[in-house]
Amino acid sequence: MDFQKQTYSLQVNQYIRKLIQQGKLRPGDPIKEAELSQMLGISRAPIREALQILVQEGLVSAEPQKGKTIRILTPKEILNGYSISAILESEGIIMSLHLWTEEDYNDLSHILETIKDKSAKVKDVDELQELDELLHNMLLSHCDNEQLIQMSRLSCSNISKFLCYPYWRAISDPSHFYERHKAVVDAIFTKDPEIIRKTIHYHYNEIAEIISKHVEQDIKA
């Protein structure tokens, strides 16, 4: 690994995230600083710093006697995480909706059309992730509460993109992906706060319930 010294900790952070997403580090697995240091050919200081950031971000757990491990989520935590994202995103949209222009609505329509076209051609939702981020970023593009945006993204992405990524990937398909996001865009075009709030909550809770049930089944198995 050819790490630049000034960004060691950031690159270690991204490296560990990639291992989690690929399933090479699974919930409950220990993270050993010495092994990472030897494998990556860097000192333990930036690794320790990267792990501390991952603890703060909720991807890694740190417990006395046990050290640092990939965080294990309970079904309740999964439901709560998606619920937080739904609340924050919907309120962020509603409070900034008066700032939307005709161009914004056109841009949103264009993103949805791109999702529709691409979802008809791909077999894996992995290829739609960038469009997913683009659409959700567009929804909060006029919200000036950066803390709200950050908390909204963090609550959801830790679950679907990392800790529960295999479940999310298994239950998602491109056509359903498009339909779910079309419902959100249709709600935005109504400009009705209650419709927007209800649709965003359903958008997140639908996936949360499915993932949490899969996790619960694995716990009982």
Side-chain angles (χ1 to χ4, degrees):
M1 302 295 291
D2 184 21
F3 288 155
Q4 298 296 314
K5 289 183 178 180
Q6 68 270 23
T7 58
Y8 275 170
S9 61
L10 175 60
Q11 292 185 69
V12 172
N13 181 302
Q14 295 301 317
Y15 178 70
I16 294 173
R17 283 173 172 272
K18 189 173 182 180
L19 292 180
I20 297 171
Q21 193 173 59
Q22 292 174 339
K24 295 177 181 178
L25 278 176
R26 299 178 61 83
D29 285 350
I31 307 175
K32 299 179 180 179
E33 293 178 13
E35 289 183 4
L36 280 173
S37 175
Q38 183 176 7
M39 181 172 58
L40 300 177
I42 60 177
S43 70
R44 294 174 65 169
I47 294 174
R48 193 174 299 116
E49 182 181 346
L51 290 176
Q52 190 56 44
I53 293 171
L54 288 167
V55 169
Q56 294 170 358
E57 292 174 340
L59 288 173
V60 169
S61 296
E63 298 180 33
Q65 311 304 324
K66 290 186 178 181
K68 293 182 176 66
T69 59
I70 303 301
R71 183 181 173 192
I72 299 174
L73 289 173
T74 66
K76 180 65 174 175
E77 287 173 325
I78 293 168
L79 291 170
N80 287 346
Y82 274 98
S83 179
I84 290 170
S85 288
I87 293 168
L88 293 175
E89 183 170 289
S90 60
E91 297 310 312
I93 294 168
I94 291 166
M95 71 172 61
S96 59
L97 200 61
H98 65 285
L99 297 174
W100 280 56
T101 65
E102 195 64 33
E103 184 179 357
D104 292 323
Y105 286 103
N106 289 337
D107 288 344
L108 188 61
S109 293
H110 177 70
I111 294 171
L112 182 64
E113 282 302 310
T114 305
I115 290 175
K116 181 180 180 180
D117 292 342
K118 192 166 184 177
S119 65
K121 300 173 184 176
V122 302
K123 296 181 179 179
D124 200 313
V125 290
D126 284 349
E127 299 181 60
L128 298 171
Q129 278 200 41
E130 288 187 9
L131 288 171
D132 178 54
E133 289 188 17
L134 184 63
L135 187 143
H136 283 280
N137 287 340
M138 179 69 201
L139 296 179
L140 291 174
S141 59
H142 285 300
C143 179
D144 64 356
N145 189 327
E146 291 298 328
Q147 188 175 2
L148 180 151
I149 296 172
Q150 183 179 12
M151 290 176 64
S152 171
R153 295 291 172 261
L154 194 61
S155 297
C156 182
S157 65
N158 277 354
I159 301 170
S160 59
K161 295 182 181 178
F162 296 101
L163 298 174
C164 293
Y165 181 70
Y167 299 110
W168 178 85
R169 194 168 181 268
I171 65 176
S172 301
D173 68 81
S175 61
H176 186 225
F177 181 93
Y178 165 70
E179 293 298 333
R180 293 180 66 246
H181 288 82
K182 181 180 184 302
V184 170
V185 172
D186 288 345
I188 300 299
F189 269 83
T190 69
K191 304 180 183 179
D192 185 316
E194 285 308 311
I195 292 176
I196 292 172
R197 187 177 287 116
K198 182 178 179 180
T199 304
I200 294 293
H201 279 250
Y202 181 81
H203 177 81
Y204 281 103
N205 292 339
E206 178 189 25
I207 293 295
E209 289 179 5
I210 297 173
I211 292 177
S212 64
K213 286 178 182 178
H214 277 278
V215 170
E216 188 172 16
Q217 289 171 359
D218 283 354
I219 292 173
K220 293 179 179 179

